[in-house]
């Protein structure tokens, strides 16, 4: 079970390390002032970091994962140690899923912000 916890912790680190608010979307730059774009991009990224609630999304995912993992450990007849390990693994997996969802939300905010400022976001 310790190998599973290590693997899920590494997965969490990778997912949290995704672009999120630091995404640089593909934008059609034809006729675009690059310095104005860079300023707008930085403002949109800062807005996404401030408004996304990524920490709470990851925390909610971790909480739900811990509950599901604990229940799974209980249903499969695990002892107290096994139930605790299952709950821990569920928390890590749930937290990773929540962090991934938060990253996607931040990327979407950046893209919508740029689109709202008149840029043609291609991805």
């Amino acid at each position: 079970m310790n190998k599973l916890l290590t693997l899920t912790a590494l997965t969490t680190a990778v997912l949290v390390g995704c672009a999120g608010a630091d995404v640089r979307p593909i934008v059609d730059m034809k006729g675009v002032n690059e310095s104005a774009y860079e300023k707008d991009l930085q403002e949109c990224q800062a807005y996404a970091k401030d408004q996304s609630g990524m920490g709470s999304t990851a925390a909610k995912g971790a909480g739900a994962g811990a509950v599901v993992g604990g229940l799974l450990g209980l249903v499969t007849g695990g002892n107290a140690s096994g139930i605790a390990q299952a709950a821990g693994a569920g928390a890590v997996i749930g937290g990773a899923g929540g962090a991934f969802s938060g990253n996607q939300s931040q990327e979407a905010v950046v893209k919508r912000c740029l689109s709202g400022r008149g840029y043609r976001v291609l991805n």
Side-chain angles (χ1 to χ4, degrees):
M1 188 59 105
N2 287 335
K3 290 180 183 179
L4 176 62
L5 288 174
T6 302
L7 178 61
T8 52
L10 288 173
T11 301
T12 301
V14 169
L15 290 174
V16 171
C18 292
D22 294 324
V23 68
R24 292 189 64 87
I26 299 170
V27 173
D28 183 352
M29 296 299 286
K30 185 175 182 178
V32 172
N33 178 316
E34 284 192 46
S35 63
Y37 169 74
E38 287 300 323
K39 181 177 183 256
D40 285 337
L41 175 62
Q42 288 176 357
E43 289 174 1
C44 290
Q45 289 172 333
Y47 186 73
K49 288 176 186 174
D50 291 342
Q51 302 300 318
S52 72
M54 185 169 132
S56 65
T57 303
K60 287 177 187 173
V67 170
V68 170
L71 289 173
L72 183 61
L74 184 63
V75 168
T76 58
N79 59 19
S81 175
I83 292 170
Q85 286 181 338
V92 172
I93 293 168
F100 180 73
S101 176
N103 271 338
Q104 287 181 318
S105 176
Q106 285 182 335
E107 289 182 17
V109 168
V110 171
K111 291 175 182 180
R112 284 193 304 267
C113 178
L114 288 172
S115 293
R117 293 179 184 209
Y119 296 98
R120 291 187 306 185
V121 178
L122 303 177
N123 65 334

